[in-house]
Amino acid sequence: MRRYQLAQRLRSKSLSSTPPSIQSEDFSPSLANLASSIVYRSPLPSASGLPIFILDSAAFPDANDVEYSTLLPYVLARLPGEDELIGGQGYEVVFFAGGEGDGATTVKKEQPGSIWFMQAYNVLSRATRKRLQKLYIVHERRWVRILVEMFSTIVSPKFRKKIVHASTLTGLALHIPSEDLLIPPSAYLQDRQKITEIYVPYASGRRAFGAQEPFPISPNGEQRLPRVLRETSSFLLLKVNVTDEGIFRVSAHKRLLDVLREAYDRGQKFILWKEGSCSLPLQEPAASQYDSQEIAHKEGYGIHLAAGLIKLWYSKLREPLFPPSTYQQLKSIAGDGDAISVESLGHMISSDSIWSTLPAKSRIILTKHLLPLLSLIAQHQEQNKMTPPNLAACIAGSLICGTDPMRDFAITGSVCRFLAAAISCWDSGLRESCGVTADMFSQALQPPAKAEDYEDPLNESQVAPTRKFNKPDSSDSLRHEITLEDNEFDGLDDARPPLPPRRPVGLEPWQPDPLSSGPRPSEPLSSEPLSSEPFVYGPHSSEPLSSKPLPSQTLRSEDSRMPDGRGSVDDNAVKRKPAPPLAIPPRYSTTGVDGNRESLDGARDLPSYSTTDDMRSA
């Protein structure tokens, strides 16, 4: 009864749940944009077909700057409406409760009180509250735990059954396919404070960075650009972004670079590239109708992160673009500082050249991605201040990674001059001499026509079966498989150990096998002692310990038999005489013993605890 009265009291003081219309003068675009970063819909539904909404606590504004009562209607308007829920369809919410993290520059925000959260819950319609199927809470904090207890105890006791707690993104991946979510950058940074790497079953691996094949091969046998180069290059070449000053020169956020590298290797389907109002549409075929403009730019990745990720991809190649075997030819072409002709560049870069020392993969990467991209960026050098020498100087360090750092440093100048000349001459005859058409690069940046070509394949040794969720027999467990490496057996017949030999029929278990080479039964032990000479260890021995023969040197293997006469344990083993108990050493020195005391009898008494004359007089 008391719970019902409290709920009625909260409803009587409830807040407004309907925001003003867009045509109204009371409509606030700033609050609408702020609400879009707090709650947004993930592009793909859950495994059961329910829509998933992302709730990001890092986007909560400071309570001293924004009136939460005015912001609440804009936030609630982004949840599913009555028309969607009355038909019986539910929804799920993933709540990233970690916030922005505890960094050196993080400003602590003032949160609204718990009473406001309970009022906000009661503002929701009955269908919105009842159709919530699951609430996944990730990176839970103390204030979130307090709110959960209050909601479960006071507002709705059934609310607790819908909550799933996950301390990290790796734990979230055990419940839902987290690679299908549009995860905000703040959640990745918060997760980095707990674990160094996110592991997703049947998804984590090496797809983009350091892959065996830099350019994946489509089912039709043609090479294509990897997804990371396709998306980052397309985002950089947008009209607004390509004129930004300092492309490839301004350093990117180190932690976010590691987050993006891991996301592309993991196969994260949705990575939002957005700088201000300029965004790259999501290229996932299943989310082609998704409007990324509804998400605030804080939830996306900017220009300098895209340029830094391209440099990181080149630095992670298994074989550097300019290996040490090309240093001599680079010095002969660009070492003297003279102008480099288009013919010399073509002999070095063209895939048909027989004089080039560049590997075939390096020439393909140069002609299909690096030189076309840098040439298009250099065309806007008046706005972005990135001339061909500047671009070459910024990216040359990622193309050289030999075994001798001093030698790599010495060749850097030649590589910079060679790249600067190739960028300048790309549209002046070098492209034609390499057999590349003008529209080939723009076509390579287009999303693949087939859905199976969208994601880069895993290495063959990392291929795993498809994960399944919501199964009654495996809801709380994972199924793993063992894959054979190249140096292991493909069959089991060759790897089986040999069987032991069969025993002849009719032998008792204690009888030895006549065909076996094991121990034989022998006569029982003799009753005569092994040695009648005493053997003394320790400081009371009359001879040095090293001068006495060890008892194991006087025994023979045939004298050591089992007590029951069944035979020796090992005919070739050396048996040792058991050592006598050690004598107790004296506790104090005996050099100051009084002369009137009787002599000690070692066989009758223990060593005396004598004292000195000074101690007796005391």
Side-chain angles (χ1 to χ4, degrees):
M1 185 67 181
R2 295 179 59 185
R3 185 184 297 113
Y4 175 77
Q5 293 176 355
L6 179 60
Q8 291 295 331
R9 188 185 309 169
L10 292 174
R11 289 189 180 94
S12 62
K13 299 180 181 179
S14 61
L15 309 174
S16 175
S17 60
T18 305
S21 61
I22 302 178
Q23 294 79 13
S24 175
E25 296 179 356
D26 297 333
F27 181 81
S28 176
S30 60
L31 293 180
N33 294 333
L34 186 58
S36 65
S37 61
I38 296 176
V39 178
Y40 58 89
R41 185 169 181 170
S42 191
L44 290 183
S46 63
S48 55
L50 300 179
I52 299 178
F53 289 86
I54 306 298
L55 178 60
D56 185 13
S57 65
F60 287 173
D62 195 330
N64 298 324
D65 300 335
V66 177
E67 182 63 35
Y68 268 78
S69 301
T70 309
L71 176 64
L72 180 62
Y74 295 91
V75 175
L76 298 181
R78 302 189 62 83
L79 294 176
E82 293 286 342
D83 298 338
E84 301 180 39
L85 299 176
I86 290 178
Q89 184 183 12
Y91 67 100
E92 298 179 0
V93 175
V94 179
F95 179 29
F96 294 105
E100 295 183 357
D102 300 328
T105 59
T106 303
V107 179
K108 186 176 181 180
K109 299 179 181 179
E110 186 70 23
Q111 300 290 343
S114 57
I115 299 298
W116 182 88
F117 282 101
M118 288 190 292
Q119 290 179 351
Y121 180 79
N122 285 278
V123 166
L124 298 175
S125 63
R126 186 178 185 278
T128 306
R129 295 196 303 267
K130 298 300 181 182
R131 295 301 180 184
L132 175 63
Q133 302 300 321
K134 286 291 182 181
L135 173 61
Y136 301 93
I137 302 179
V138 190
H139 307 146
E140 187 178 32
R141 292 205 169 189
R142 183 175 58 184
W143 67 273
V144 179
R145 290 193 293 268
I146 295 174
L147 284 177
V148 169
E149 292 297 329
M150 293 180 62
F151 275 95
S152 303
T153 306
I154 300 176
V155 181
S156 176
K158 299 179 181 179
F159 185 71
R160 190 188 301 272
K161 300 179 181 180
K162 302 179 180 181
I163 300 177
V164 177
H165 299 273
S167 59
T168 60
L169 292 176
T170 300
L172 179 65
L174 302 179
H175 301 281
I176 58 175
S178 60
E179 66 272 13
D180 295 345
L181 299 177
L182 183 56
I183 302 176
S186 57
Y188 284 123
L189 295 178
Q190 181 68 29
D191 201 74
R192 284 280 170 171
Q193 298 180 5
K194 300 178 179 295
I195 55 177
T196 58
E197 186 176 357
I198 302 172
Y199 176 74
V200 177
Y202 309 124
S204 296
R206 181 175 294 178
R207 288 180 170 87
F209 295 85
Q212 294 180 355
E213 292 294 334
F215 284 5
I217 300 178
S218 302
N220 56 3
E222 298 180 358
Q223 287 185 331
R224 58 177 177 84
L225 290 179
R227 178 193 167 196
V228 56
L229 294 185
R230 185 176 66 244
E231 293 185 356
T232 52
S233 301
S234 300
F235 181 65
L236 286 179
L237 295 178
L238 295 177
K239 293 182 179 181
V240 180
N241 297 338
V242 74
T243 58
D244 190 81
E245 184 176 348
I247 301 178
F248 289 109
R249 179 176 57 83
V250 179
S251 301
H253 196 288
K254 180 62 172 60
R255 288 188 179 180
L256 286 178
L257 272 182
D258 294 338
V259 165
L260 288 170
R261 174 192 58 79
E262 188 181 351
Y264 276 105
D265 276 339
R266 186 173 58 250
Q268 194 74 26
K269 293 183 179 179
F270 305 107
I271 299 176
L272 181 61
W273 293 100
K274 189 171 185 179
E275 184 78 22
S277 60
C278 181
S279 63
L280 182 69
L282 296 178
Q283 300 182 5
E284 166 68 30
S288 57
Q289 304 298 327
Y290 188 80
D291 187 9
S292 59
Q293 294 293 337
E294 295 184 358
I295 304 177
H297 69 91
K298 293 182 179 180
E299 310 304 326
Y301 305 95
I303 299 173
H304 302 298
L305 277 172
L309 202 63
I310 292 176
K311 292 196 294 184
L312 184 62
W313 185 88
Y314 277 98
S315 64
K316 294 294 182 181
L317 288 174
R318 294 200 171 190
E319 184 180 5
L321 200 65
F322 293 100
S325 58
T326 62
Y327 290 177
Q328 189 63 33
Q329 189 175 8
L330 285 172
K331 284 184 179 180
S332 62
I333 295 176
D336 52 2
D338 296 337
I340 306 175
S341 61
V342 177
E343 184 179 1
S344 300
L345 294 172
H347 287 324
M348 188 74 175
I349 300 175
S350 177
S351 57
D352 299 332
S353 176
I354 60 177
W355 305 103
S356 177
T357 56
L358 275 174
K361 290 183 179 180
S362 299
R363 285 181 273 179
I364 292 175
I365 295 173
L366 280 171
T367 56
K368 287 191 175 183
H369 178 259
L370 184 61
L371 292 180
L373 173 65
L374 298 182
S375 175
L376 291 175
I377 295 176
Q379 292 178 4
H380 302 83
Q381 55 183 315
E382 295 182 359
Q383 293 84 14
N384 55 33
K385 311 300 181 185
M386 297 304 294
T387 60
N390 292 344
L391 290 171
C394 291
I395 204 171
S398 303
L399 311 180
I400 307 170
C401 186
T403 57
D404 188 358
M406 297 303 297
R407 191 182 177 192
D408 296 342
F409 178 76
I411 200 62
T412 304
S414 300
V415 173
C416 290
R417 287 188 290 272
F418 179 83
L419 280 179
I423 296 171
S424 302
C425 300
W426 181 250
D427 293 330
S428 303
L430 181 59
R431 183 181 61 232
E432 288 76 9
S433 63
C434 295
V436 179
T437 59
D439 59 342
M440 186 176 293
F441 182 61
S442 60
Q443 294 177 359
L445 295 180
Q446 297 298 322
K450 298 182 179 180
E452 56 269 16
D453 291 343
Y454 169 76
E455 191 57 67
D456 300 333
L458 274 171
N459 293 338
E460 295 182 359
S461 60
Q462 298 175 333
V463 175
T466 306
R467 175 179 50 186
K468 297 181 180 180
F469 290 93
N470 299 330
K471 294 296 182 180
D473 58 341
S474 61
S475 59
D476 296 330
S477 61
L478 296 176
R479 298 181 180 179
H480 301 274
E481 291 192 359
I482 300 177
T483 57
L484 296 176
E485 301 292 342
D486 296 337
N487 57 349
E488 295 182 358
F489 293 100
D490 293 335
L492 297 178
D493 295 337
D494 299 335
R496 292 174 180 172
L499 295 175
R502 294 179 176 272
R503 291 175 57 85
V505 181
L507 289 180
E508 296 295 336
W510 58 270
Q511 292 179 336
D513 187 359
L515 300 180
S516 175
S517 59
R520 303 296 180 89
S522 57
E523 296 78 16
L525 291 172
S526 175
S527 59
E528 298 180 0
L530 294 176
S531 177
S532 59
E533 180 182 357
F535 194 84
V536 183
Y537 293 93
H540 297 282
S541 178
S542 59
E543 297 182 6
L545 186 62
S546 60
S547 63
K548 286 182 175 293
L550 295 175
S552 59
Q553 298 175 357
T554 61
L555 297 178
R556 293 179 300 174
S557 61
E558 58 267 14
D559 292 334
S560 58
R561 299 179 177 87
M562 297 293 289
D564 55 359
R566 290 182 297 174
S568 61
V569 179
D570 190 357
D571 292 343
N572 297 325
V574 178
K575 303 302 176 183
R576 297 178 179 234
K577 180 181 178 181
L582 296 177
I584 300 176
R587 180 175 298 181
Y588 302 103
S589 175
T590 58
T591 58
V593 179
D594 188 3
N596 296 329
R597 289 189 62 178
E598 296 180 357
S599 60
L600 299 175
D601 189 0
R604 182 171 50 87
D605 298 328
L606 292 175
S608 62
Y609 302 94
S610 60
T611 58
T612 60
D613 294 338
D614 296 338
M615 296 176 63
R616 272 204 320 272
S617 61

